[in-house]
Amino acid sequence: MAEERRAHPGDDGEHGGPAQRRSGLSVESSTAADIQVLTVAGEIDHDTGRHLREALDAARAAHPRVVVDLAEVTFMDSTGINILLTAHNALTGAGGWLRLAAPTGPVLRTLQLVAIDTVIECRPTLQAALA
């Protein structure tokens, strides 16, 4: 299985690698088995959410199937919920899907509190989300 890695849109190469950290959030984009994988680290909130939104928009344009790996996300507020719901609706409307992988305890509690885990498929690991 070939894998392609690239930084999310707008990377000017200053950060020295495929991950881009902006204001406490990094988003790394890769492809596995024709599924776009966004590996996110840090906090998703009002100040950083735009970067996740941009990465999801780019992923959606490239592939109708997207996995967001949340294993390194330490916090997510309603901004993140809205971004994920918008991406889910756009992807399913285009015949694709969005899956969430490995949400950490605090993030999983947020997803469960607002029942997003009943709308967007959540898997315990990245491998499970890719299956």
Side-chain angles (χ1 to χ4, degrees), residues 23-48:
S23 305
L25 183 73
S26 69
V27 180
E28 181 179 315
S29 177
S30 61
T31 303
D34 203 35
I35 299 170
Q36 192 73 34
V37 178
L38 297 178
T39 303
V40 185
E43 298 182 354
I44 304 169
D45 58 24
H46 176 73
D47 294 328
T48 63

Side-chain angles (χ1 to χ4, degrees), residues 9-130:
D11 186 2
D12 58 8
E14 284 183 18
H15 303 284
Q20 177 141 8
R21 183 167 291 280
R22 293 180 178 172
S23 305
L25 183 73
S26 69
V27 180
E28 181 179 315
S29 177
S30 61
T31 303
D34 203 35
I35 299 170
Q36 192 73 34
V37 178
L38 297 178
T39 303
V40 185
E43 298 182 354
I44 304 169
D45 58 24
H46 176 73
D47 294 328
T48 63
R50 185 186 64 165
H51 308 299
L52 177 59
R53 184 179 307 110
E54 290 170 358
L56 279 163
D57 288 346
R60 187 172 67 234
H63 299 278
R65 300 181 304 162
V66 178
V67 171
V68 178
D69 183 355
L70 299 170
E72 298 296 323
V73 174
T74 57
F75 174 82
M76 182 170 63
D77 69 7
S78 62
T79 303
I81 297 295
N82 288 327
I83 291 167
L84 293 173
L85 277 176
T86 299
H88 167 76
N89 290 337
L91 286 161
T92 56
W97 46 255
L98 175 68
R99 290 181 185 156
L100 306 178
T104 58
V107 173
L108 181 59
R109 280 191 294 281
T110 300
L111 294 169
Q112 291 171 335
L113 181 66
V114 294
I116 294 304
D117 62 323
T118 65
V119 177
I120 302 173
E121 192 173 345
C122 293
R123 301 275 179 98
T125 65
L126 177 58
Q127 291 301 357
L130 292 171

